[in-house]
Amino acid sequence: MPTSPCRARHLIEAKEAKVVKRTPYTIRLTNDSTENVQPVTLGVDAGHAHIGLSASTEKEELYSAVVKTRTDVHELMVERRSLRSDRRKRKTRYRAPRFSNRKRPEGWLTPTMECGIRTHESVIADVYKILPISKIIVETASFDIQKAKYPEIEGKEYLNGETKGYKNTKRYVKARDGYKCRNCGSKKELEVHHRRPRSKGGSDRPGNLITLCHECHTDYHDGKIKLHTGKPDLTSFKAMTAMNTMRWFLLDRLSARYSDVSNTYGYLTDWTRNELRLEKDHHIDAFCIAGNTEAIRTDVVYDIRKVRSHNRKLHKEKLRKGGKRQANQAPRFVKGFKLSDKVLYNGKEGTVTARKSDGRLNIRYSDNSLDKYISMKKVRLLEHPNTRIYTRRIPNSAPTQG
């Protein structure tokens, strides 16, 4: 169980414990302990872009963190699809199409949602490594997208959407625009255009679609013309849609892996937070989800950022001078340092953001300041990160007792 810094120091000096992790600072006893452990509940505020974690006993909160998930998976998949398509076109030998590998297995999820669920699993597993978690409570939030679009909607109005009576969204968009091009007014060869491309987060909602003729559509993508059709509706509900799908998959995977897993709902979390008069934040929601409302809150919260572990792109998109293809990846270690390493320089802890082959580093600190071209000989390595980067921060409010 967690102990005081003073006792931890004495245990290490007596060689009764050893340091196994620096962030969060974790020690492990070298001898087996016969003492009983207290029940620890882990509250998980599941989310698309951020995850809240809070582990607590009945008396105190032991661990609190906010995890920022990866949001670049969709863009990387679109880029990979483009590169693979170009590579197939360059093949001189004909290869018959294969359709046997197109079938999706049962339980298949999109790469974005699969990455989100695996991130939830990995950060929960990290907490299990440092604390004897006895119970997990996950908030499986359900989002009403129609209510988010139209707050006044109720009853039968749910059955009367804007595309009702049309075969598909394209038909509705063309009818809405009067079956003519929004740019030149032509009524020939009409096509539907995404104002914000799907590769950049654009949706298939009617507010992001307009009608263009084939000529204007082609000229716009070739950069020959600019469209003057007003501002598009860039409201996106992808995060809500993803969470509506992910929540049950996440709960099933956690239940198969851990013994005591249960779920709660967003309205209960909101009620508890208002009763305790706490501000809205992911780690605070996780504290409310855990249910130990009388526990003394911790004064340290960890900001965790999920990063890409390795660049697996085979080649750069454009050839360098000389026309020679090179692997699009830097060596993992350069003279013992790698990107995102935690280092100490001039008494300040920072993160390595760039490395030079001549033995110099760029170091960024928690206040966003940057030191450039620092010799590696003047820097002390603190720890190598994995795919998660930890930053310690102090909440604005002092720890309170609910």
Side-chain angles (χ1 to χ4, degrees), residues 224-381:
K224 296 180 181 179
I225 63 172
K226 290 185 178 180
L227 301 178
H228 303 283
T229 55
K231 293 183 178 181
D233 180 7
L234 301 180
T235 306
S236 177
F237 299 98
K238 286 188 175 181
M240 295 183 181
T241 305
M243 288 308 302
N244 283 343
T245 305
M246 287 169 51
R247 55 192 180 127
W248 300 120
F249 283 92
L250 173 62
L251 198 63
D252 289 343
R253 293 193 188 183
L254 292 178
S255 300
R257 188 171 181 177
Y258 304 106
S259 57
D260 192 352
V261 179
S262 59
N263 71 304
T264 185
Y265 298 96
Y267 72 93
L268 296 175
T269 305
D270 186 65
W271 183 86
T272 304
R273 187 180 64 250
N274 291 333
E275 284 291 311
L276 298 176
R277 298 182 180 180
L278 299 175
E279 61 184 5
K280 171 70 174 176
D281 206 338
H282 299 286
H283 68 280
I284 295 178
D285 282 351
F287 173 77
C288 298
I289 291 169
N292 296 315
T293 56
E294 298 295 327
I296 300 176
R297 292 172 52 204
T298 180
D299 59 346
V300 175
V301 180
Y302 290 97
D303 279 329
I304 307 174
R305 179 165 54 93
K306 187 73 168 64
V307 296
R308 192 180 184 185
S309 60
H310 193 55
N311 186 354
R312 295 177 177 85
K313 192 192 300 182
L314 296 179
H315 299 291
K316 290 185 179 295
E317 297 178 25
K318 297 181 180 179
L319 297 179
R320 292 182 176 181
K321 292 182 179 180
K324 187 177 181 180
R325 291 193 176 275
Q326 298 180 1
N328 187 28
Q329 58 189 37
R332 185 170 287 260
F333 287 93
V334 174
K335 297 185 178 180
F337 290 90
K338 68 175 184 177
L339 292 177
S340 302
D341 275 348
K342 279 197 170 183
V343 295
L344 185 67
Y345 175 67
N346 282 344
K348 294 176 61 178
E349 292 188 14
T351 303
V352 175
T353 57
R355 304 162 299 169
K356 307 298 180 181
S357 58
D358 59 355
R360 293 179 297 166
L361 303 173
N362 287 0
I363 304 173
R364 187 173 294 279
Y365 304 99
S366 57
D367 58 358
N368 211 30
S369 60
L370 180 67
D371 280 337
K372 292 185 176 181
Y373 311 125
I374 307 301
S375 173
M376 293 181 181
K377 297 180 180 179
K378 300 180 180 179
V379 176
R380 183 162 70 90
L381 177 67

Side-chain angles (χ1 to χ4, degrees), residues 7-8 10-19 27-31:
R7 187 183 178 191
H10 288 310
L11 289 172
I12 294 174
E13 291 175 352
K15 297 184 179 181
E16 296 179 6
K18 61 180 180 180
V19 180
I27 64 172
R28 180 182 298 157
L29 296 176
T30 55
N31 300 322

Side-chain angles (χ1 to χ4, degrees), residues 154-176:
E154 59 183 40
K156 294 182 179 180
E157 296 176 359
Y158 277 94
L159 303 176
N160 300 318
E162 57 183 333
T163 59
K164 182 181 179 181
Y166 295 91
K167 189 174 182 179
N168 52 42
T169 306
K170 286 186 177 182
R171 291 281 183 91
Y172 167 76
V173 173
K174 291 178 181 180
R176 181 199 63 188

Side-chain angles (χ1 to χ4, degrees), residues 15-235:
K15 297 184 179 181
E16 296 179 6
K18 61 180 180 180
V19 180
V20 295
K21 194 173 184 179
R22 189 179 179 277
T23 309
Y25 195 82
T26 309
I27 64 172
R28 180 182 298 157
L29 296 176
T30 55
N31 300 322
D32 293 336
S33 174
T34 58
E35 297 181 3
N36 296 326
V37 297
Q38 304 172 34
V40 181
T41 304
L42 175 63
V44 181
D45 179 27
H48 179 70
H50 295 87
I51 306 170
L53 299 172
S54 176
S56 59
T57 63
E58 294 181 354
K59 295 182 178 179
E60 62 177 329
E61 185 181 22
L62 308 175
Y63 176 81
S64 182
V66 177
V67 184
K68 184 177 181 181
T69 64
R70 288 181 57 186
T71 57
D72 60 341
V73 178
H74 176 70
E75 289 76 9
L76 292 173
M77 296 299 294
V78 171
E79 184 181 0
R80 188 184 73 171
R81 181 176 61 183
S82 175
L83 292 174
R84 285 183 172 181
S85 177
D86 292 341
R87 188 161 63 246
R88 291 190 192 100
K89 293 177 182 178
R90 292 195 298 268
K91 295 291 185 182
T92 57
R93 179 175 60 84
Y94 174 75
R95 187 187 71 178
R98 296 177 297 175
F99 296 97
S100 60
N101 61 350
R102 299 299 192 269
K103 186 177 181 180
R104 293 170 178 171
E106 185 179 355
W108 180 88
L109 292 172
T110 64
T112 302
M113 288 192 284
E114 184 67 33
C115 180
I117 290 181
R118 291 185 181 183
T119 300
H120 282 78
E121 291 181 299
S122 63
V123 296
I124 291 173
D126 284 347
V127 181
Y128 262 82
K129 293 177 182 178
I130 61 175
L131 288 172
I133 303 297
S134 56
K135 183 179 181 180
I136 301 178
I137 303 178
V138 185
E139 181 189 286
T140 53
S142 176
F143 296 95
D144 187 345
I145 297 178
Q146 287 292 91
K147 197 75 173 178
K149 291 181 184 179
Y150 314 106
E152 304 299 327
I153 193 173
E154 59 183 40
K156 294 182 179 180
E157 296 176 359
Y158 277 94
L159 303 176
N160 300 318
E162 57 183 333
T163 59
K164 182 181 179 181
Y166 295 91
K167 189 174 182 179
N168 52 42
T169 306
K170 286 186 177 182
R171 291 281 183 91
Y172 167 76
V173 173
K174 291 178 181 180
R176 181 199 63 188
D177 295 339
Y179 292 99
K180 61 182 180 180
C181 176
R182 290 279 296 273
N183 187 59
C184 68
S186 173
K187 295 185 177 181
K188 297 181 180 179
E189 298 183 273
L190 298 180
E191 299 174 354
V192 175
H193 165 69
H194 288 79
R195 289 178 163 187
R196 171 176 282 184
R198 294 186 63 188
S199 61
K200 296 183 179 179
S203 67
D204 291 331
R205 294 180 59 242
N208 190 45
L209 303 175
I210 58 172
T211 305
L212 295 178
C213 65
H214 177 74
E215 184 177 354
C216 290
H217 200 184
T218 304
D219 289 344
Y220 173 77
H221 285 291
D222 290 342
K224 296 180 181 179
I225 63 172
K226 290 185 178 180
L227 301 178
H228 303 283
T229 55
K231 293 183 178 181
D233 180 7
L234 301 180
T235 306

